[in-house]
Amino acid sequence: MTREQLVAQIYNKKSYLCVGLDTDLAKIPAHFAGNPDALFLFNKAIIDATRETCVAYKINTAFYEALGTKGWDAMERTVHYIGADHFKIADAKRGDIGNTSDQYAKAFFETLPFDAVTVAPYMGEDSVRPFLEYEGKWAIVLGLTSNKGAQDFELQASGSELLYEKVLKTVSSWGTDQNLMFVVGATQAEAFTRIRELIPDHFLLVPGVGAQGGSLEQISEKAMNKDCGLLVNASRAVIYASAQEDFASAAATIATQYQEEMGTYL
């Protein structure tokens, strides 16, 4: 999906919501117990309930890889079921040397029809470059995260700037705002003003709204650009809105609430 197509989806739907399919078999409703197809059937119901109110889905691959071949099969079926009208993110946080990254890019962009992959930039340009070579595909590079460990490296001084600032400036020169996004955690709201000074035009994938306490209002105020420039992810708040058989309708209600609030900011 190109930037133009993504922006059109955002303004057509008045939404920049990304629904995170971090599906944990231990947390889905009890009536799925014993069903060998539970993972896909749960995802399918969530997608059907939210596809009109979101523009993207983010599949956290760890929840599927942990289940072996059955999990991978469910992930593959899920990404195909989402279809071409939504931006599909593989939240895989890959980041290895070039020839290995070549294979990761092939896995998610050729074998599977994802539009984007999250990438860790620690090993430098050659670990990110393979993801930037596919037309209409995106690398979403870790920029500033919300976890406690962000203090260990990302927020440490590197010369006259913080390390995450150096990462944003350096990585942004490897691609363009047409194939490169950055992950910025929602609970780092005070940093969005500085981030927009460094990368005014790039899209940001922003996790941490909902269960993690990030403020959609603050994010939108500080980080929105002329093309919106935001994909705000909500996972647990949407997919686990109910633990009962009404889980899909509950998810639809929460997603609609996000969409309606986003519409006011757009």
Side-chain angles (χ1 to χ4, degrees):
M1 182 177 288
T2 66
R3 181 185 177 109
E4 291 73 19
Q5 291 169 327
L6 177 58
V7 172
Q9 287 281 344
I10 288 170
Y11 283 98
N12 286 339
K13 291 184 174 179
K14 299 292 189 291
S15 173
Y16 39 101
L17 175 64
C18 174
V19 172
L21 296 172
D22 303 356
T23 309
D24 185 343
L25 288 179
K27 294 181 179 179
I28 67 176
H31 69 276
F32 282 107
N35 190 322
D37 213 15
L39 192 60
F40 173 70
L41 292 176
F42 177 85
N43 286 349
K44 179 177 182 293
I46 293 291
I47 294 164
D48 289 342
T50 59
R51 66 168 63 250
E52 298 303 319
T53 51
C54 75
V55 296
Y57 291 96
K58 180 174 71 68
I59 295 178
N60 188 325
T61 63
F63 288 89
Y64 302 82
E65 292 171 308
L67 301 173
T69 57
K70 290 182 179 179
W72 192 270
D73 177 69
M75 180 175 69
E76 186 167 1
R77 292 169 65 195
T78 296
V79 70
H80 280 287
Y81 186 74
I82 291 168
D85 292 335
H86 288 76
F87 192 74
K88 301 178 292 296
I89 302 168
D91 189 4
K93 297 182 179 67
R94 299 303 197 245
D96 207 326
I97 57 175
N99 60 349
T100 306
S101 281
D102 285 340
Q103 297 303 310
Y104 283 142
K106 182 177 180 180
F108 292 109
F109 292 157
E110 294 184 35
T111 305
L112 297 170
F114 282 100
D115 296 294
V117 182
T118 56
V119 181
Y122 190 83
M123 292 184 73
E125 182 176 359
D126 57 334
S127 68
V128 177
R129 175 60 53 191
F131 299 96
L132 300 173
E133 299 299 324
Y134 286 80
E135 185 175 355
K137 304 290 187 178
W138 300 73
I140 308 181
V141 176
L142 298 178
L144 179 59
T145 58
S146 295
N147 62 307
K148 182 179 178 181
Q151 297 286 341
D152 293 337
F153 298 112
E154 297 169 28
L155 292 169
Q156 294 295 312
S158 176
S160 61
E161 58 194 349
L162 298 178
L163 181 58
Y164 89 86
E165 295 175 327
K166 186 172 185 176
V167 168
L168 293 180
K169 289 195 298 184
T170 302
V171 175
S172 65
S173 71
W174 298 344
T176 71
D177 59 16
Q178 305 288 322
N179 66 358
L180 188 61
M181 300 186 187
F182 292 90
V183 177
V184 180
T187 59
Q188 301 283 9
E190 71 285 350
F192 277 104
T193 300
R194 174 59 177 157
I195 288 168
R196 277 309 187 203
E197 292 174 356
L198 296 170
I199 48 169
D201 299 322
H202 287 78
F203 261 81
L204 305 178
L205 173 63
V206 185
V209 168
Q212 295 180 53
S215 167
L216 178 57
E217 180 179 10
Q218 287 186 356
I219 295 162
S220 302
E221 177 185 349
K222 294 176 181 291
M224 190 175 289
N225 63 24
K226 60 182 175 58
D227 285 337
C228 178
L230 293 172
L231 291 174
V232 174
N233 183 79
S235 299
R236 287 171 287 172
V238 174
I239 68 174
Y240 302 137
S242 170
Q244 308 303 319
E245 292 191 26
D246 67 344
F247 72 97
S249 61
T253 297
I254 299 299
T256 299
Q257 290 173 359
Y258 279 122
Q259 180 207 29
E260 290 175 348
E261 183 178 354
M262 289 173 175
T264 66
Y265 304 136
L266 284 169

